[in-house]
Amino acid sequence: LPMKFAFMHCLRSLAVFSFILFSSQASVADEGQWQPHQLPELKAELKRLGIAIPAEKLADLKKHPMSAIISLGGCSASFVSDAGLVVTNHHCAYGAIQRNSNATRNLIADGFLAKSKAEELPAGPNERVYITDQVDNVTQQVLGDLAPNLSGRERHEAIQKRIKKLIQECEQDKAFRCSVPSFHRGLEYFRIRQLLIRDVRLVYAPSDKIGNFGGEVDNFEWPRHTGDFAFLRAYVGKDGRPADPSPNNVPYHSKDFLRVSAEGLKSGDPILLAGYPGRTSRYKLASEIRFARDVSYPRRVEESTADVATINAATKDDAEAAVRYASVVKGINNGLKKTQGLLDGFARKDIAAIKESQYTMFRNWLAQQKNSAENQSLLKDLDEVVAADTALSAQEFAWSVANTSDLLRSARTLYRLALEQKKPDAERESGFQERDIPFIKARLTRLEQSLVVKVDQARWTAALQRYAKLPVATHPASLDALLPRAEQAAALIGASQLAQTANRLAYLDKPAENFQSANDAMIALAIKLQPIEMALENQRKEVDGNLEKVIPRYMAAVIAWKKSQGKPVYADANSTLRVTYGTVAAYTPRDGISKGPFTSVEGILEKQSNNAPFEVPPALIDAVKAQRYGIFRDATLGTVPVNFLSSADTTGGNSGSAVLNKNAELVGLNFDSTYESVTKDWYFDAPITRAIHVDIRYMLWVMQEIDHADNVLKEMQIRYPSNAKKVSAKKN
């Protein structure tokens, strides 16, 4: 195909491509994170799988069940009552739990249950609920008629200007938050409108002995026995519109919510999974994989390992500091284990070689198409822009290491905001417009519960030492002369007034000129570092603009190539609403070993110890020993299932995603993947790729038998097994 034809055709017809692909092939692996509007083209595949709900209904964002699927801005969740009750993972609510904890009232360890709405606790200033209600293809508005001779930076800024205009038009109603993410690496753009609820409260979370059972030891492992669930509630003003947190607010009326099925699943049953997957890289080149495998990921593992060790040493024997940094450490550890899993996966299977082989086939196919000279030029341009991207990424990593201080990052954010506020709002950089100020304020306020000066001093001191050991070629130009020596870091932080929340917030309203005369060590350093930050940012704009010019041409050709092979076409995950599907399925990670697909409460006692992370609440031990399983006993297993596996295509951001049965009833929550599956971000290996879910029966059993969360149970609509009375009577 001529490149121009392939590009324009793909802009108009990606959904049609998907239809053709699935029409030409009886079945495919459960690969694909599908945009809801694509689902009608998958109806034959969904029907074959056993999904009863019509595909057209799944594609309608304003109707059940998709209208009940929400984002927490990093995790997924869903409404489970008409009063704004939200279910998600325990680790997704961890920040809210930690915010309300201290050394004497440790909700992380003890759990929390509000017996009434009046007892619900503020989840925190940066907690949000996002409800997607409208998605529009705006590719032409973003890319149409861009001058061909623009530099990379000029092109990037032109695109961003158009995106900001589209967002500004969309946000005329301030109840909504809009975004314009790219799909297929810049080939398509969609404008997404989301109702933004900013009063979120903690309703119920089990003890971390349930919600985080196994901790980092079991993270990404199978078998698992983790009750990774928690409940929040969305609140709005009395007029039903989003409002700032207030005691006068009322629960959000969620007209659509998920019904719960306690009938459970069995091996081979179909499932749907809906949520907001973060990032995948399925269409990256072999050179990009090698950079991640050989450079980027090893450095990230080393950095995260060292940072966690520093935090742990600084909080040792200080219970209050340990609680404050619990959420930070958990987040770093989760990313660390995933990154290490990626490295192990790359070592186990040479994904770069697989991609190289695929790329060779693609190049051969491309050479047979029309406009061969133009196509060869594309490949040369592709190599150049990718090389520039990886080179700049190394500098950006070094910059991030040098800035490993919450107070320094706060100072830089405040000064940058002051500079941006000199411009008309439409000309400010994204992230510093008026629409972004509430989020900046929330982050600055959140430090009140997650900052200890001595820990920040220790982290920055150690980070500067690590920065000095990075290859000099990766150090951003002129940065070394401006950074303090590692032994000076603690004194600089100690001389800053930004450790106090009121002082941080006071700078939000100060003009840039006032920063110059401020008597604060971190503000002064932020001013000195500003030119370095801008130089890096401008380099990034140049690189991104060139990527935005070349990569869409490449993706158009790749999609046309995949179409010619009858292979699926879906966009990489980008934190937007997606649906995937699969079956409850065991797997064989290596020869002679078969795992899954269910674990049971007896397995909890098998792992039990008197030490974290395998401590078990006494009430749970007693209930299992007495086999008080009631209606939650699985007829086949003879016990209560805890976690189960499916072949659904998931990634980070899918945490808390609703797992639905064939009738779109809630039967579980996604919370993890097996260790062997981690490389699916780059390559979907169907035989061993498995997602890990909390079985709804374990969640309901814990709520009823262990924590007596009767008020929360009564609020949900739960369909119990048809033989519930018979099972219960037999048990009694």
Side-chain angles (χ1 to χ4, degrees):
L1 291 175
M3 194 55 51
K4 181 177 180 181
F5 172 77
F7 177 69
M8 295 307 295
H9 184 65
C10 287
L11 290 182
R12 293 191 298 268
S13 307
L14 284 178
V16 176
F17 279 177
S18 296
F19 175 74
I20 294 171
L21 299 177
F22 279 88
S23 298
S24 64
Q25 146 175 343
S27 65
V28 295
D30 302 332
E31 175 182 355
Q33 296 169 337
W34 303 97
Q35 295 167 259
H37 75 261
Q38 293 181 287
L39 295 176
E41 278 71 50
L42 302 173
K43 63 168 61 177
E45 176 67 11
L46 294 173
K47 184 177 181 180
R48 183 199 65 79
L49 194 68
I51 300 300
I53 186 169
E56 290 80 6
K57 189 175 181 182
L58 288 171
D60 193 336
L61 300 181
K62 295 183 181 296
K63 293 182 180 178
H64 181 275
M66 299 309 294
S67 55
I69 307 300
I70 61 178
S71 169
L72 301 179
C75 277
S76 303
S78 50
F79 286 122
V80 286
S81 87
D82 63 357
L85 186 66
V86 171
V87 67
T88 188
N89 286 157
H90 184 275
H91 76 261
C92 294
Y94 202 82
I97 302 167
Q98 181 267 328
R99 180 186 186 276
N100 289 284
S101 298
N102 53 47
T104 56
R105 190 198 186 203
N106 192 339
L107 304 186
I108 299 173
D110 300 335
F112 172 76
L113 172 63
K115 284 291 189 178
S116 68
K117 293 183 179 66
E119 296 178 8
E120 294 171 0
L121 299 174
N126 54 349
E127 297 296 328
R128 301 286 191 274
V129 164
Y130 300 82
I131 308 168
T132 300
D133 81 328
Q134 188 171 321
V135 176
D136 300 305
N137 191 324
V138 293
T139 305
Q140 183 59 34
Q141 293 97 306
V142 174
L143 298 179
D145 301 321
L146 281 172
N149 59 345
L150 296 175
S151 68
R153 178 178 171 183
E154 289 170 339
R155 182 182 177 87
H156 179 77
E157 289 180 339
I159 289 174
Q160 291 304 308
K161 183 177 181 179
R162 294 180 179 191
I163 286 175
K164 284 188 281 189
K165 184 175 185 294
L166 287 165
I167 290 173
Q168 190 271 333
E169 292 169 352
C170 181
E171 291 183 351
Q172 291 299 309
D173 185 338
K174 299 304 180 185
F176 293 92
R177 181 82 174 180
C178 301
S179 61
V180 184
S182 71
F183 292 74
H184 296 286
R185 301 192 73 180
L187 182 63
E188 285 192 314
Y189 288 83
F190 283 80
R191 181 168 63 184
I192 298 171
R193 190 177 80 159
Q194 297 176 306
L195 186 71
L196 173 59
I197 297 177
R198 51 189 186 273
D199 187 350
V200 184
R201 303 181 195 177
L202 179 64
V203 176
Y204 163 53
S207 161
D208 69 342
K209 297 177 181 65
I210 293 173
N212 191 34
F213 181 75
E216 293 307 317
V217 177
D218 270 5
N219 196 13
F220 290 109
E221 300 293 343
W222 184 262
R224 290 292 288 278
H225 301 82
T226 309
D228 200 346
F229 70 90
F231 288 84
L232 306 168
R233 194 183 305 278
Y235 278 80
V236 292
K238 291 182 178 179
D239 59 358
R241 290 173 59 81
D244 288 334
S246 167
N248 298 321
N249 287 346
V250 297
Y252 170 72
H253 175 64
S254 38
K255 65 181 182 66
D256 293 316
F257 56 91
L258 299 181
R259 279 71 176 177
V260 176
S261 172
E263 288 195 334
L265 299 167
K266 62 182 182 300
S267 182
D269 279 353
I271 61 102
L272 288 167
L273 190 147
Y276 291 78
R279 288 287 183 270
T280 54
S281 304
R282 304 265 173 86
Y283 299 98
K284 293 270 179 127
L285 304 179
S287 59
E288 293 175 291
I289 294 175
R290 284 192 290 268
F291 175 74
R293 180 193 66 192
D294 301 335
V295 180
S296 177
Y297 286 167
R299 285 178 181 169
R300 201 181 300 176
V301 165
E302 184 178 353
E303 178 63 19
S304 296
T305 301
D307 195 23
V308 168
T310 300
I311 295 173
N312 288 340
T315 58
K316 186 179 180 181
D317 301 324
D318 187 338
E320 187 66 35
V323 168
R324 282 176 173 264
Y325 279 86
S327 183
V328 174
V329 170
K330 185 174 178 63
I332 297 173
N333 273 330
N334 188 61
L336 171 61
K337 187 152 190 182
K338 179 172 182 177
T339 306
Q340 185 59 59
L342 283 163
L343 288 173
D344 291 344
F346 289 149
R348 185 171 54 250
K349 178 168 287 191
D350 194 344
I351 295 175
I354 293 172
K355 292 284 187 179
E356 194 68 68
S357 176
Q358 293 173 345
Y359 190 54
T360 298
M361 290 187 288
F362 166 70
R363 288 200 310 266
N364 292 338
W365 173 86
L366 195 62
Q368 298 171 14
Q369 310 308 306
K370 295 179 181 179
N371 290 358
S372 179
E374 181 181 341
N375 294 342
Q376 294 307 310
S377 173
L378 165 64
L379 299 180
K380 179 177 178 293
D381 293 343
L382 193 62
D383 289 340
E384 290 177 356
V385 296
V386 168
D389 181 40
T390 54
L392 180 56
S393 295
Q395 289 190 54
E396 291 169 331
F397 174 77
W399 169 258
S400 70
V401 174
N403 282 271
T404 306
S405 160
D406 286 322
L407 288 191
L408 177 55
R409 285 192 290 261
S410 296
R412 285 179 40 235
T413 296
L414 288 165
Y415 184 55
R416 178 64 182 275
L417 177 62
L419 293 175
E420 292 293 334
Q421 285 178 322
K422 290 183 173 183
K423 310 173 188 175
D425 191 57
E427 297 177 16
R428 298 181 196 173
E429 288 296 325
S430 296
F432 295 95
Q433 295 179 283
E434 287 299 319
R435 66 194 291 269
D436 302 307
I437 292 178
F439 292 85
I440 294 173
K441 183 177 180 180
R443 290 197 302 271
L444 295 171
T445 303
R446 178 71 179 86
L447 285 179
E448 193 167 64
Q449 284 81 34
S450 61
L451 173 73
V452 177
V453 169
K454 69 174 183 179
V455 180
D456 203 45
Q457 290 172 319
R459 292 181 75 190
W460 196 30
T461 298
L464 288 174
Q465 292 170 340
R466 296 193 299 272
Y467 167 81
K469 296 177 182 178
L470 291 173
V472 175
T474 68
H475 290 196
S478 306
L479 178 59
D480 292 10
L482 298 177
L483 285 174
R485 296 191 304 276
E487 59 269 23
Q488 297 173 315
L492 279 175
I493 289 177
S496 175
Q497 300 299 311
L498 296 182
Q500 285 71 48
T501 302
N503 292 339
R504 290 193 300 274
L505 297 182
Y507 276 97
L508 283 172
D509 300 320
K510 291 184 178 181
E513 293 72 22
N514 286 32
F515 282 71
Q516 299 290 342
S517 58
N519 185 25
D520 189 283
M522 299 309 278
I523 292 290
L525 181 58
I527 293 172
K528 291 179 182 178
L529 295 179
Q530 178 64 15
I532 311 296
E533 180 179 6
M534 292 307 301
L536 281 173
E537 188 173 301
N538 289 333
Q539 289 179 65
R540 172 48 61 190
K541 287 180 179 179
E542 180 69 21
V543 168
D544 283 352
N546 289 327
L547 288 168
E548 290 159 354
K549 187 184 302 182
V550 176
I551 295 293
R553 291 168 52 206
Y554 165 67
M555 286 304 302
V558 166
I559 290 171
W561 174 58
K562 283 183 172 290
K563 173 182 176 291
S564 72
Q565 297 176 304
K567 289 187 176 179
V569 178
Y570 59 89
D572 268 322
N574 60 355
S575 298
T576 60
L577 181 58
R578 304 292 181 95
V579 178
T580 183
Y581 54 81
T583 57
V584 178
Y587 77 112
T588 300
R590 56 188 62 88
D591 184 50
I593 298 177
S594 181
K595 293 188 176 185
F598 290 95
T599 59
S600 71
V601 290
E602 278 75 16
I604 297 173
L605 300 195
E606 291 175 4
K607 288 182 176 179
Q608 174 197 0
S609 75
N610 294 322
N611 299 312
F614 295 107
E615 296 175 283
V616 182
L620 194 150
I621 296 173
D622 293 343
V624 174
K625 287 183 175 179
Q627 296 189 21
R628 293 198 301 271
Y629 301 150
I631 60 175
F632 305 114
R633 181 195 298 265
D634 180 271
T636 302
L637 299 174
T639 183
V640 179
V642 178
N643 298 149
F644 67 96
L645 298 172
S646 86
S647 58
D649 189 352
T650 63
T651 189
N654 272 128
S655 291
S657 291
V659 182
L660 309 174
N661 64 14
K662 64 181 181 180
N663 300 314
E665 297 170 313
L666 185 68
V667 290
L669 298 176
N670 182 76
F671 73 95
D672 207 354
S673 296
T674 59
Y675 198 66
E676 297 84 3
S677 302
V678 173
T679 49
K680 66 185 171 183
D681 282 3
W682 296 82
Y683 173 72
F684 191 88
D685 193 355
I688 63 169
T689 297
R690 294 295 181 268
I692 305 175
H693 317 300
V694 181
D695 195 298
I696 203 73
R697 291 168 290 182
Y698 179 63
M699 188 177 94
L700 297 174
W701 180 74
V702 167
M703 295 171 71
Q704 176 179 293
E705 188 67 38
I706 310 303
D707 288 338
H708 308 292
D710 302 327
N711 57 310
V712 184
L713 286 167
K714 289 178 181 177
E715 186 173 341
M716 296 188 290
Q717 288 190 13
I718 305 171
R719 183 167 65 84
Y720 290 99
S722 56
N723 64 339
K725 291 183 180 179
K726 187 183 297 184
V727 172
S728 181
K730 184 178 179 181
K731 176 61 189 167
N732 292 334

